Amino acid sequence: MNYYIHHRDDVLSTNKAQELTEKLELRGHTCTQDNPEIIITIGGDGTMLHAIHNYVDILDKVKFVGIHTGTLGFFTDYTSEELDMFVDDFDGDYHIFSHALIESRCYGADDQLRHQVYALNESRVENIIQTQTMKVSINDEYLEEFRGNGLCVSGQIGSTAYNRSIGGAIIDDTLQALQLTEISGIHHRHYRSLNSPLVLNPKAHITFESDSFEGAMLIYDHLNINLHQTKKIDIFFSSKHVNFIRFNDNSYYMRLRSLF
Ligand code: NAD
């Protein structure tokens, strides 16, 4: 099988990448940057996110599997102590788990598309400089006027990431959903928004509009763009998918137990 290793830049991950390349070569697998079928990440969850964004234009041609060298991750099925087990499994059957990416489109005052970006975990509008006011619509229907630091839109896989830290619900891995969660919403006599995570149908389109997004960022996974001159942001599940391969049967609840 043609594969490529995307590893974190620390000594342990670099050494494990070298060791794994040698072990897989002995089994007849080829490490190549040209058209790899499988991307093996060695590092943490962030390493997997970096790899996915590196290959975002050819996600239909590659599959991902992760080995962790730090604390146990959500995207990693093996520890760096389990390279031999990984090499044995690599020759066997695997299941494919496919996850739609979250697409965000940002438009300027002239309705021109200014940015189109993708996220696996979440896409969030956050303003730590001034109160962000924005009109929120779902499927073009007005929901509320939000005031506060921002709003986070996550998918099932991102429900255990940033979303969880701001009080969002964890979504079971058999369900697909978009979740809208407030980031430090302001609620008092004059201003009121939902103040509760809203779990939506995966076909939902969420729209944020504001006269000013000055000081706000769109943060998508570990990446960000400045929302200067943006007037409207549409967020929805994309037709782009990321495919993970899994050789073992670690259940979702086992992952939750071991992580949290
Ligand atoms: P990172 O790689 O250091 O990740 C930050 C933490 O989030 C790590 O502990 C990582 O294991 C965990 N994480 C990432 N994706 C996860 C998932 N789907 N389920 C459970 N835990 C997950 O930082 P980075 O390289 O900037 O990665 C960006 C991601 O980190 C973002 O997508 C965001 O969800 C997450 N993050 C979380 C917080 C928070 O919880 N307060 C803060 C910043 C970033």
Side-chain angles (χ1 to χ4, degrees):
M1 207 144 29
N2 285 353
Y3 72 93
Y4 188 68
I5 299 179
H6 180 102
H7 65 85
R8 201 164 47 194
D9 214 11
D10 58 276
V11 175
L12 177 61
S13 304
T14 308
N15 289 344
K16 289 291 171 184
Q18 179 63 36
E19 196 182 326
L20 183 60
T21 307
E22 287 162 12
K23 286 177 189 286
L24 288 174
E25 198 175 317
L26 286 175
R27 301 281 186 111
H29 302 292
T30 309
C31 183
T32 172
Q33 256 184 306
D34 299 327
N35 306 318
E37 292 161 62
I38 295 183
I39 307 298
I40 303 167
T41 66
I42 304 185
D45 286 328
T47 317
M48 178 62 83
L49 290 174
H50 280 75
I52 291 167
H53 282 273
N54 272 2
Y55 289 90
V56 76
D57 292 330
I58 53 159
L59 286 179
D60 51 332
K61 297 192 176 70
V62 288
K63 303 175 194 68
F64 296 83
V65 61
I67 297 171
H68 71 82
T69 48
T71 50
L72 188 64
F74 230 77
F75 301 134
T76 49
D77 283 342
Y78 297 84
T79 70
S80 54
E81 305 303 311
E82 295 172 333
L83 286 194
D84 287 329
M85 189 201 296
F86 176 81
V87 171
D88 286 341
D89 289 354
F90 201 71
D91 282 327
D93 295 334
Y94 54 75
H95 306 286
I96 296 178
F97 291 86
S98 191
H99 290 272
L101 295 186
I102 298 168
E103 182 168 335
S104 305
R105 295 186 185 177
C106 306
Y107 298 88
D110 48 5
D111 269 348
Q112 278 286 100
L113 179 64
R114 295 170 55 82
H115 304 284
Q116 180 174 12
V117 295
Y118 301 91
L120 177 64
N121 273 341
E122 76 283 305
S123 183
R124 61 191 209 258
V125 171
E126 204 162 349
N127 195 332
I128 56 165
I129 296 168
Q130 58 195 350
T131 300
Q132 182 62 53
T133 305
M134 49 187 155
K135 184 177 114 180
V136 181
S137 307
I138 312 287
N139 301 332
D140 294 326
E141 187 173 345
Y142 175 76
L143 174 72
E144 64 182 13
E145 191 79 14
F146 171 85
R147 287 177 183 77
N149 279 33
L151 288 164
C152 173
V153 178
S154 57
Q156 181 277 323
I157 207 162
S159 69
T160 43
Y162 190 87
N163 169 69
R164 179 176 167 268
S165 303
I166 54 172
I170 293 177
I171 308 286
D172 179 283
D173 73 341
T174 59
L175 299 172
Q176 278 311 313
L178 273 180
Q179 185 167 182
L180 178 67
T181 311
E182 293 191 3
I183 308 168
S184 303
I186 299 173
H187 309 102
H188 52 54
R189 211 140 59 93
H190 301 294
Y191 303 138
R192 188 150 301 282
S193 50
L194 216 50
N195 194 19
S196 174
L198 177 62
V199 177
L200 295 158
N201 184 294
K203 292 197 176 119
H205 274 233
I206 301 169
T207 306
F208 303 145
E209 288 171 278
S210 180
D211 289 339
S212 170
F213 280 109
E214 283 303 320
M217 310 290 285
L218 180 82
I219 305 163
Y220 53 109
D221 294 340
H222 56 288
L223 300 168
N224 65 77
I225 48 180
N226 194 320
L227 289 177
H228 173 67
Q229 293 187 344
T230 296
K231 295 291 176 200
K232 183 172 103 167
I233 305 154
D234 273 338
I235 305 182
F236 52 92
F237 269 131
S238 168
S239 55
K240 261 185 199 290
H241 282 69
V242 57
N243 293 312
F244 292 104
I245 59 177
R246 190 163 294 154
F247 299 102
N248 56 31
D249 286 327
N250 290 345
S251 77
Y252 188 64
Y253 307 106
M254 178 262 163
R255 282 158 193 271
L256 282 183
R257 246 192 349 260
S258 61
L259 262 165
F260 304 126

